[in-house]
Amino acid sequence: MEDLLSVSFGELFLKGKNRNKFFKAAIDNIKRNIKDIGYEDMYLESSKLYIKADKNDFDDLIREIKKVFGIIYISEIKRCDKNKESIENGLKEILDNMDIKNKTFKVTTNRVDKTFEIKSPEFSQMMGGFILKNYAKKNNLKVDVHNPDFKVFIDIKKYAYVYANRHEGMGGLPLGSSGNGLLLLSGGIDSPVAGFMMAKRGMRINCLHFHSYPFTSKRALQKAIDLGKILSQYTGKMRIYSVNMAEIYKAINKNCHRNQTTILSRRFMMRIAEKISEKNSYDALITGESLGQVASQTVESMTVIEDATKLPIFKPLIALDKTEIIDRALFIGSYEKSIEPYDDCCSIFAPSNPITKPKLKYIKESESNLDIENLENKAIENMEIFDI
């Protein structure tokens, strides 16, 4: 009998002929996350991954594997021989280390190996009877097949795998299985959450941060880099492009209506993001916009801003309110960093009375007063790149 970890994958079962590609992506991401902890062996059997490692490392391994997208459960299991006596011994080892007093349970058997003579329902009943005989009286343990306090699982494959403790994963799709996105990473609460949510759908994430030094502090840039580091715990390696918008803002303030500043600057951001994406093969842009949250996030404003790029713009937070977004920021660990009081370029140059229902015709008239190509190219030429 051996102690192993098993990893159960979620939506990957739905991927048909592409399933192996998704499995490989998920397993590669697991290996990346646990390389510093180490393991002895790893193998895939009947769509589950099994990891042999030092049992003392299980807690650390589970913590890191839980950060990998595409996983629904990580379980601590006993790998037994495929016979009744060995499986019963596995059950005893598990239950002897659990708090089962005054609780209800259910046994579920999954008989993948159909050569195993006893069918799943009968074997579940048999093992349930074994548990009741050995634990019911002294622990007041009872069966409840509809709503048990805990479940005991038995998988009959090449070996028999017995387990009861399941740790929930994040679900989603393996990172890198859904293309490459460029996240417009501000120093706020929303954009890291947006990046996390798109990464959960399998998109590999790199970031673009706009600042306006010397009008904003270099600490604001460092804050964005720190947020990128937090996000990279889930996304792996990422690149952060840092573009200075100071000259663009000065040109807008000099040549355009003040109340159009936010819309005009966001259109610059979209065009710059598109140029960086074309050069680096990014498939889409990602923003942290939530409908109606600020002046630039009205339907009219977003429509005019999106006109500046041909790339698709993903907005995973569009229908969430601020409380929901904060809850997710707390979950991924970015909230405390996001609320540090350093101004970003958008807030520094935001007009006191921003336009909320811009007309594309008038915005383009204002842009005709600007040397757009030159301003964008200079900003890109002077950008800094940070690899996380």
Side-chain angles (χ1 to χ4, degrees):
M1 188 182 304
E2 290 186 278
D3 292 295
L4 304 178
L5 292 177
S6 74
V7 178
S8 302
F9 301 103
E11 293 181 52
L12 277 60
F13 290 105
L14 306 176
K15 297 305 174 184
K17 293 180 181 179
N18 292 320
R19 190 181 301 166
N20 288 339
K21 169 189 165 186
F22 283 83
F23 279 138
K24 183 180 184 305
I27 292 169
D28 287 346
N29 292 333
I30 290 170
K31 289 178 177 178
R32 180 200 73 215
N33 272 32
I34 67 174
K35 66 180 180 180
D36 293 335
I37 303 170
Y39 61 94
E40 295 177 38
D41 191 23
M42 184 182 292
Y43 62 93
L44 192 66
E45 184 182 350
S46 301
S47 301
K48 274 191 182 181
L49 183 70
Y50 295 94
I51 302 171
K52 182 179 179 181
D54 187 331
K55 193 174 181 181
N56 293 323
D57 292 332
F58 276 13
D59 287 345
D60 292 334
L61 289 167
I62 291 167
R63 184 191 66 242
E64 293 304 316
I65 294 170
K66 285 173 74 172
K67 296 176 183 177
V68 176
F69 298 117
I71 293 168
I72 53 170
Y73 295 115
I74 307 107
S75 306
E76 302 172 59
I77 68 171
K78 301 286 183 182
R79 188 175 77 176
C80 311
D81 292 330
K82 205 162 40 179
N83 61 65
K84 181 173 174 289
E85 182 181 1
S86 181
I87 292 170
E88 286 175 348
N89 288 335
L91 288 171
K92 286 189 71 175
E93 285 200 22
I94 289 171
L95 294 172
D96 285 346
N97 289 286
M98 287 178 62
D99 176 15
I100 59 174
K101 200 167 186 65
N102 300 317
K103 291 186 178 179
T104 58
F105 76 99
K106 174 184 178 180
V107 177
T108 299
T109 301
N110 179 24
R111 187 177 62 119
V112 178
D113 179 6
K114 302 304 181 185
T115 65
F116 188 73
E117 294 180 354
I118 308 171
K119 293 183 179 180
S120 297
E122 288 80 2
F123 197 71
S124 293
Q125 291 174 8
M126 186 183 297
M127 293 299 101
F130 168 80
I131 293 171
L132 288 172
K133 179 181 178 181
N134 288 274
Y135 294 94
K137 188 173 181 180
K138 62 181 178 181
N139 292 284
N140 191 32
L141 184 65
K142 298 177 182 179
V143 172
D144 184 343
V145 297
H146 301 293
N147 188 32
D149 294 318
F150 69 93
K151 294 180 182 179
V152 175
F153 300 90
I154 303 170
D155 294 342
I156 307 294
K157 301 181 180 180
K158 180 181 178 181
Y159 299 94
Y161 301 99
V162 183
Y163 54 102
N165 292 322
R166 298 204 303 188
H167 305 267
E168 286 193 17
M170 295 225 240
L173 296 174
L175 193 67
S177 62
S178 299
N180 299 297
L182 184 63
L183 170 68
L184 275 64
L185 179 67
S186 71
I189 297 169
D190 302 340
S191 55
V193 177
F196 173 86
M197 291 178 67
M198 291 310 303
K200 185 176 177 180
R201 297 310 303 160
M203 180 160 276
R204 191 168 295 283
I205 304 296
N206 290 281
C207 300
L208 171 58
H209 175 70
F210 293 99
H211 67 93
S212 49
Y213 182 80
F215 300 101
T216 53
S217 166
K218 285 191 174 181
R219 289 183 177 181
L221 170 58
Q222 185 58 50
K223 177 183 174 183
I225 293 171
D226 291 342
L227 286 170
K229 289 178 180 177
I230 293 169
L231 191 55
S232 72
Q233 295 178 60
Y234 307 94
T235 65
K237 294 180 180 178
M238 71 163 58
R239 174 163 286 184
I240 298 180
Y241 304 89
S242 176
V243 173
N244 192 331
M245 289 278 289
E247 294 302 317
I248 292 172
Y249 275 112
K250 286 195 286 186
I252 292 172
N253 285 344
K254 181 180 179 180
N255 298 287
C256 306
H257 295 291
R258 173 78 173 157
N259 68 352
Q260 294 179 336
T261 300
T262 301
I263 302 300
L264 290 167
S265 62
R266 293 293 173 90
R267 283 172 60 86
F268 269 101
M269 291 176 184
M270 294 298 129
R271 287 188 294 263
I272 290 170
E274 182 177 69
K275 288 179 178 179
I276 293 171
S277 296
E278 288 174 349
K279 187 175 180 180
N280 295 279
S281 300
Y282 301 138
D283 306 305
L285 306 181
I286 304 164
T287 69
E289 291 166 296
S290 173
L291 185 62
Q293 186 167 240
V294 294
S296 64
Q297 294 175 17
T298 63
V299 171
E300 295 86 352
S301 294
M302 288 190 287
T303 301
V304 171
I305 291 167
E306 288 176 20
D307 172 77
T309 178
K310 296 177 182 177
L311 282 176
I313 304 174
F314 294 144
K315 304 174 180 181
L317 311 187
I318 196 70
L320 301 184
D321 64 31
K322 201 65 178 182
T323 301
E324 292 172 302
I325 297 169
I326 289 172
D327 286 344
R328 296 182 188 217
L330 289 166
F331 173 77
I332 67 176
S334 61
Y335 179 74
E336 294 299 329
K337 177 60 63 174
S338 291
I339 61 173
E340 288 182 359
Y342 302 125
D343 290 324
D344 60 24
C345 62
C346 298
S347 59
I348 286 290
F349 290 96
S352 57
N353 186 30
I355 188 170
T356 59
K357 295 185 177 182
K359 301 293 185 184
L360 184 59
K361 173 185 174 181
Y362 301 125
I363 294 298
K364 286 190 171 183
E365 284 179 3
S366 291
E367 286 180 337
S368 68
N369 299 321
L370 301 167
D371 188 353
I372 290 175
E373 192 71 17
N374 184 49
L375 286 166
E376 290 175 354
N377 288 340
K378 281 187 176 180
I380 292 173
E381 287 170 10
N382 294 319
M383 76 178 174
E384 296 178 276
I385 298 175
F386 302 91
D387 288 316
I388 306 297

